[in-house]
Every structure is written in C-alpha cells, then in structure tokens.
Amino acid sequence: GENVEQHPSTLSVQEGDSAVIKCTYSDSASNYFPWYKQELGKGPQLIIDIRSNVGEKKDQRIAVTLNKTAKHFSLHITETQPEDSAVYFCAARGPGAGNMLTFGGGTRLMVKP
Amino acid sequence: EPEVTQTPSHQVTQMGQEVILRCVPISNHLYFYWYRQILGQKVEFLVSFYNNEISEKSEIFDDQFSVERPDGSNFTLKIRSTKLEDSAMYFCASSSGIGETQYFGPGTRLLVL
C-alpha cells in the first residue's frame, strides 16, 4: 500500500521567515495530495491541496509543489506568523474505490515572534 | 460554514466494553470516513462508507469495528469490545464525492482503561 514520509518532524522559524515541509510517497498511482493543519485539540483542517495533473498551486502565503517523477511534494509557507504554529500533515490518496488518505507523520511548526 | 461534528469529545471506558462514537457529517456530503490517531503517531485510515455500505477498510478495521448510518444525519463507529490499544483520537470526515476534499471533525478522544 501507499507509504508517506514527512520531514522534518519539527521546524522552528522566526516570524517572517519561510517554512518548507517535504513529503515523499511510494505509490506512483496516487493522484491527490492535501495538506492539513492541526491545532491543539482540533481536527485536521485542509489548507491546500494539489492534484497530479498540476505541478504547483498557490494560495496567498501558502504554496504546494508536486514532482511526480520523484514522487515528492512540498508545502511552502512564506512570511510566517505566530498563528501558523501548529502540526502540519501531508497526505496522499491513491486511486482506490474508498478514497482513502494515507498521512505522513506530521511536522510541528513553531513560529517564534 | 458547514462543519463535521462529533460526540462525545471525550470518552473513558473499561476494557471489554462497547463504545459508540457519533458523527454528523456535512449535510450534502455522500462519503463518510473514520480515521484514528494514536497519541504521537500518524493519522490512520479505518474505513470509508458510501451508499450505506463500506467502500474500503484498513487492516485495523477488524471484526470488533462496525459503522452505521442509522438515519439521514448520523454516522457512527462502534467498537464491540474495546482493548487498551484502541485508546486514540478518532476523527470522522466527509466529502461531497469521490476524489473531493475530506473535511474532518474535531475528534473524539477515547481512553480505554
């Protein structure tokens, strides 16, 4: 089955700096890659996603890039703010009937004011 | 903004007892999911449900687990005889269609003693 690895597990940046989180996946048939933000005590909230027919997608300070050949995708957050502090999860969805998401291990991002 | 809701937020039970976790998916969604997150570990897929039947399930979803949509709004996860290792945060999610974004609820923290 699909396996998603995520790095780094923790990331500390100064407010205003950029943060980059990287994920690799194993199943070349995976076609959808969402990123979720999880704040303490809450469920994962979708922040951006990308499908396999697109190489890059941007939404204000957040961007995601996808390299299908290398089977990796990355989350880029620019001009980080303290409220960006959270755990970020990448995920991949394969073409199976059940729409199952396979998650990476998570990255705890800390933005220091 | 529509959201997935879950009850209870916390549940403590004795090993061997049955528990039912409840979810109200977003009202026009057709696909429903359960995931779990053991403390400090990845979010793991349990099961997906569409048209009143299971579409896909993981190895974790053994005979002790069952899901049901008892009426037009609720989606439940039942664990028949809980084990210590079932202690986790359980997330319900829903999507409007296959391949569409999955929206997660806030989770139920289950503690089995």
Side-chain angles (χ1 to χ4, degrees), chain A residues 1 6 14-15 18 23 27 34-35 37 47-48 51 70 74 83-85 91 95:
Chain A
Q6 183 172 346
Q14 284 295 135
E15 182 178 359
S18 295
C23 288
D27 188 346
W35 285 89
K37 176 183 180 181
I47 56 170
I48 196 167
R51 297 182 190 272
S74 300
E83 51 266 37
D84 294 330
S85 297

Side-chain angles (χ1 to χ4, degrees), chain A residues 11-85:
Chain A
L11 179 60
S12 181
V13 299
Q14 284 295 135
E15 182 178 359
D17 287 351
S18 295
V20 180
I21 303 170
K22 298 181 180 181
C23 288
T24 60
Y25 61 99
S26 61
D27 188 346
S28 56
S30 289
N31 55 21
Y32 172 68
F33 307 92
W35 285 89
Y36 287 87
K37 176 183 180 181
Q38 186 178 26
E39 295 174 302
L40 198 63
K42 297 184 179 179
Q45 300 296 306
L46 180 80
I47 56 170
I48 196 167
D49 55 13
I50 192 167
R51 297 182 190 272
S52 58
N53 58 346
V54 174
E56 185 173 357
K57 184 176 177 181
K58 191 172 182 181
D59 182 4
Q60 298 182 358
R61 297 188 296 110
I62 295 171
V64 57
T65 58
L66 171 65
N67 183 326
K68 285 194 300 181
T69 304
K71 290 188 283 189
H72 67 70
F73 56 113
S74 300
L75 177 71
H76 304 251
I77 306 173
T78 58
E79 299 171 29
T80 53
Q81 300 165 4
E83 51 266 37
D84 294 330
S85 297

Side-chain angles (χ1 to χ4, degrees), chain A residues 3-5 32 36 38 41-46 49 51 89 93 96-106, chain B residues 31 33 35 37 41-45 48 55-56 58 89 91 95 97-107:
Chain A
N3 183 48
V4 177
E5 298 293 333
Y32 172 68
Y36 287 87
Q38 186 178 26
K42 297 184 179 179
Q45 300 296 306
L46 180 80
D49 55 13
R51 297 182 190 272
F89 290 96
R93 188 194 67 217
N99 219 23
M100 175 179 101
L101 291 177
T102 301
F103 281 81
Chain B
Y31 291 79
Y33 315 86
Y35 292 80
Q37 185 179 28
Q41 298 187 23
K42 291 185 178 186
V43 177
E44 302 173 289
F45 171 81
S48 59
S55 332
E56 190 171 11
S58 70
M89 182 75 99
F91 293 109
S95 66
I98 195 81
E100 297 301 321
T101 299
Q102 294 181 31
Y103 294 90
F104 283 73

